[in-house]
């Protein structure tokens, strides 16, 4: 049986390391597989595992991180080779795994009492179920990364409304600087500003109205498209010839004052310019400051296999990971935020965003809720290159109807 499993993994992926499962530890302790998808978090989880094993000497945790982890996990699911505990990104991948029946239902677990409600709702919306199959652990954020040195030098202030945002861009240009640098040569880089606009302008209720046939993209996306087109006029680079890495480095080198991206870009920016002082603010998509929320999604969700041989031990490890002090240990080096109440991010670069999480002024990534195969970034890329709003809205409605009818 083991040989068959190994052969299956090799044939599918060519990755011996993909195959996991419990192994004999050679003593009386229990060994659990912890399959986690973030290569940049291996050291943080190793440290947490060491701490857990010190407190729980009869439980050993074997961390398994492999390249292309989503493909590996989906492949293992077809062979009923499910890790005892796993992390899953809270996007389309979560929806696929959660509806497969391989995860433990944690809806009534006491840990949910300290999880921020919005993130539980995001996962339930992704799975289309009333049940929760993973605990939101840490979350990311979309926003406007800005050069603090330039802001101080030019006497600029963080805007709270759309009109203030545009006035700020005008002021930056008037002082001889470039407001934004964009790398739309990679279509996905359009998503950060697009999600900020769409999620705040139409809200998550749009997807219910869309599903019920009570609204359409033509009805609600004209303002989104117009504002995204307006922002493009404040760039001064080869927007569609440059990609994410070029844009990160250009912003780090001072070629623009602001940069519309997610917090995940900060590490690469600071690698390029370690002395740079940066901040992040939510993009103000509307003229009602109180309605401009931070766009945030579940970066890491933690799940337990329904059929694990060691449910009590697995739960003990998950309980440990969700303790606020242990979430904060993870956040010390990962520029994310906590989905668990009581754990905060203290990174100076991100401090402007923490109040939004404290006040639960959070909205989700709109692109997580389009149908599978709905290439919204490519359609907006075509529009921004040389299209018209009318053609864009028609294509969005046509694609939605085609994909949602399957």
């Amino acid at each position: 049986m083991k040989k068959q499993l190994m052969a299956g993994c090799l044939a599918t992926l060519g990755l011996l390391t993909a195959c996991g499962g419990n192994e004999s530890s050679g003593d009386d302790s229990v060994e659990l597989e912890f399959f986690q998808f973030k290569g940049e978090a291996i050291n943080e989880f190793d440290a947490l595992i060491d701490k857990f094993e010190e407190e729980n000497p009869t439980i050993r945790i074997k961390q398994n991180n492999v390249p292309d982890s989503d493909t590996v996990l989906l492949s293992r699911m077809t062979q009923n080779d499910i890790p005892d505990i796993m992390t899953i990104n809270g996007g389309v991948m979560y929806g696929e795994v959660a509806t497969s029946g391989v995860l433990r239902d944690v809806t009534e677990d006491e840990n949910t009492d300290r999880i921020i409600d919005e993130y539980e709702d995001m996962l339930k919306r992704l799975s289309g179920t009333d049940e929760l199959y993973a605990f939101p652990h840490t979350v990311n954020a979309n926003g406007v990364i800005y050069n603090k040195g330039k802001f101080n030098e030019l006497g600029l202030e963080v805007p709270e409304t759309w009109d203030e945002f545009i006035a700020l861009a005008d002021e930056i240009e008037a002082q001889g600087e470039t407001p934004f640098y964009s790398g739309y040569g990679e279509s996905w880089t359009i998503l950060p500003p697009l999600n900020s606009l769409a999620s705040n302008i139409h809200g998550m209720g749009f997807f219910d109205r869309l599903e019920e046939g009570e609204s359409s993209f033509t009805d609600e996306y004209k303002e989104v498209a117009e504002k995204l087109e307006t922002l493009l006029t404040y760039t001064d680079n080869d927007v569609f010839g440059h990609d994410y890495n070029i844009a990160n480095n250009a912003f780090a080198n001072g070629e623009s004052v602001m940069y519309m991206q997610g917090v995940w870009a900060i590490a690469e920016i600071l690698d390029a310019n370690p002395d740079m002082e940066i901040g992040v603010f939510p993009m103000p998509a509307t003229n009602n400051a109180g309605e401009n929320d931070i766009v945030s999604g579940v970066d890491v969700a933690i799940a337990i296999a329904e059929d694990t041989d060691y449910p009590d031990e697995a739960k003990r490890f998950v309980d440990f990971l969700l303790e606020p002090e242990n979430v904060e240990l993870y956040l010390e080096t990962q520029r994310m935020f906590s989905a668990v109440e009581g754990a905060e991010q203290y990174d100076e670069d991100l401090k402007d965003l923490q109040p939004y999480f404290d006040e639960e002024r959070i909205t989700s990534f709109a692109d997580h809720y389009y149908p599978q195969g709905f290439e919204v970034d490519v359609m907006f890329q075509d529009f921004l290159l040389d299209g018209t709003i009318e053609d864009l809205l028609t294509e969005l409605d046509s694609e939605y109807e085609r994909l949602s009818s399957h």
Side-chain angles (χ1 to χ4, degrees):
M1 185 66 181
K2 186 69 172 176
K3 287 181 179 178
Q4 290 175 347
L5 173 61
M6 298 285 275
C9 288
L10 285 167
T12 306
L13 303 164
L15 289 170
L16 180 63
T17 54
C19 301
N22 299 109
E23 296 179 3
S24 171
S25 57
D27 54 32
D28 294 333
S29 64
V30 168
E31 182 173 277
L32 304 177
E33 182 191 5
F34 175 49
F35 185 95
Q36 74 87 12
F37 69 90
K38 291 179 74 76
E40 65 271 34
I42 292 174
N43 291 337
E44 287 76 7
F45 279 122
D46 272 343
L48 287 165
I49 288 168
D50 287 345
K51 182 182 178 189
F52 174 79
E53 290 181 342
E54 189 173 332
E55 296 173 6
N56 299 271
T58 61
I59 304 174
R60 294 185 179 180
I61 304 296
K62 179 182 178 183
Q63 181 178 179
N64 187 8
N65 172 268
V66 297
D68 199 4
S69 59
D70 285 357
T71 303
V72 172
L73 182 58
L74 291 172
S75 176
R76 289 181 58 173
M77 285 167 55
T78 66
Q79 301 167 70
N80 197 30
D81 176 32
I82 314 300
D84 299 291
I85 308 153
M86 66 207 88
T87 64
I88 307 170
N89 178 253
V92 175
M93 180 65 180
Y94 171 78
E96 290 190 28
V97 179
T99 54
S100 67
V102 302
L103 302 182
R104 183 159 296 244
D105 181 351
V106 296
T107 312
E108 301 300 327
D109 191 285
E110 65 272 13
N111 280 312
T112 59
D113 293 342
R114 52 183 174 174
I115 302 289
I116 296 173
D117 292 342
E118 280 78 0
Y119 295 114
E120 287 187 30
D121 293 342
M122 286 181 194
L123 293 188
K124 289 178 180 176
R125 181 180 282 273
L126 284 165
S127 62
T129 65
D130 292 330
E131 293 78 27
L132 185 69
Y133 293 99
F135 299 104
H137 174 257
T138 42
V139 301
N140 51 30
N142 245 11
V144 180
I145 304 171
Y146 67 99
N147 185 325
K148 279 189 174 178
K150 288 285 185 184
F151 261 53
N152 291 333
E153 177 186 331
L154 302 177
L156 306 174
E157 294 185 359
V158 170
E160 294 187 357
T161 67
W162 170 258
D163 284 350
E164 291 177 4
F165 189 37
I166 296 304
L168 173 65
D170 287 334
E171 177 63 22
I172 290 171
E173 281 193 332
Q175 298 203 48
E177 298 278 357
T178 301
F180 303 113
Y181 198 103
S182 295
Y184 292 171
E186 280 182 279
S187 61
W188 76 265
T189 65
I190 296 173
L191 293 175
L194 174 59
N195 281 322
S196 292
L197 291 168
S199 297
N200 278 297
I201 289 172
H202 63 48
M204 291 302 102
F206 168 69
F207 296 102
D208 295 329
R209 297 191 293 275
L210 194 63
E211 190 174 334
E212 295 299 320
E214 297 173 353
S215 188
S216 68
F217 288 91
T218 297
D219 290 339
E220 304 202 34
Y221 265 63
K222 185 175 182 221
E223 181 181 353
V224 175
E226 289 175 339
K227 287 184 171 177
L228 199 59
E229 193 171 36
T230 297
L231 293 173
L232 189 63
T233 66
Y234 290 98
T235 58
D236 190 30
N237 65 286
D238 181 8
V239 171
F240 298 98
H242 292 168
D243 61 16
Y244 175 68
N245 290 328
I246 291 174
N248 285 345
N249 280 280
F251 175 70
N253 291 325
E255 294 186 39
S256 72
V257 178
M258 298 183 286
Y259 182 39
M260 297 174 287
Q261 256 299 344
V263 295
W264 50 81
I266 293 175
E268 189 168 327
I269 291 167
L270 293 179
D271 281 346
N273 184 357
D275 296 327
M276 190 175 194
E277 288 187 53
I278 61 176
V280 188
F281 61 83
M283 178 190 288
T286 76
N287 276 327
N288 187 336
E291 293 181 357
N292 292 321
D293 295 331
I294 185 72
V295 174
S296 174
V298 178
D299 188 63
V300 171
I302 304 176
I304 299 173
E306 172 67 18
D307 293 332
T308 178
D309 292 333
Y310 305 105
D312 293 340
E313 290 81 358
K315 176 169 167 46
R316 197 182 305 176
F317 181 58
V318 172
D319 290 348
F320 168 86
L321 291 178
L322 293 172
E323 290 174 7
E325 67 179 80
N326 294 326
V327 175
E328 288 189 348
L329 285 175
Y330 179 88
L331 294 177
E332 284 182 3
T333 53
Q334 298 289 312
R335 287 188 173 87
M336 298 291 162
F337 293 87
S338 175
V340 180
E341 293 175 348
E344 293 201 3
Q345 171 59 265
Y346 297 104
D347 190 307
E348 187 69 18
D349 298 332
L350 299 174
K351 71 175 187 180
D352 293 343
L353 295 182
Q354 186 60 52
Y356 286 84
F357 291 94
D358 293 340
E359 298 167 14
E360 300 190 12
R361 290 184 56 189
I362 300 161
T363 186
S364 188
F365 288 79
D367 69 302
H368 286 182
Y369 304 103
Y370 302 129
Q372 186 80 13
F374 190 79
E375 295 182 321
V376 66
D377 53 333
V378 175
M379 289 185 273
F380 269 90
Q381 185 186 48
D382 291 343
F383 157 65
L384 292 172
L385 265 169
D386 58 4
T388 68
I389 288 180
E390 291 73 21
D391 288 346
L392 169 68
L393 298 177
T394 299
E395 185 178 19
L396 289 168
D397 279 326
S398 174
E399 279 295 283
Y400 177 81
E401 184 175 352
R402 180 179 71 83
L403 293 168
S404 59
S405 63
H406 292 295

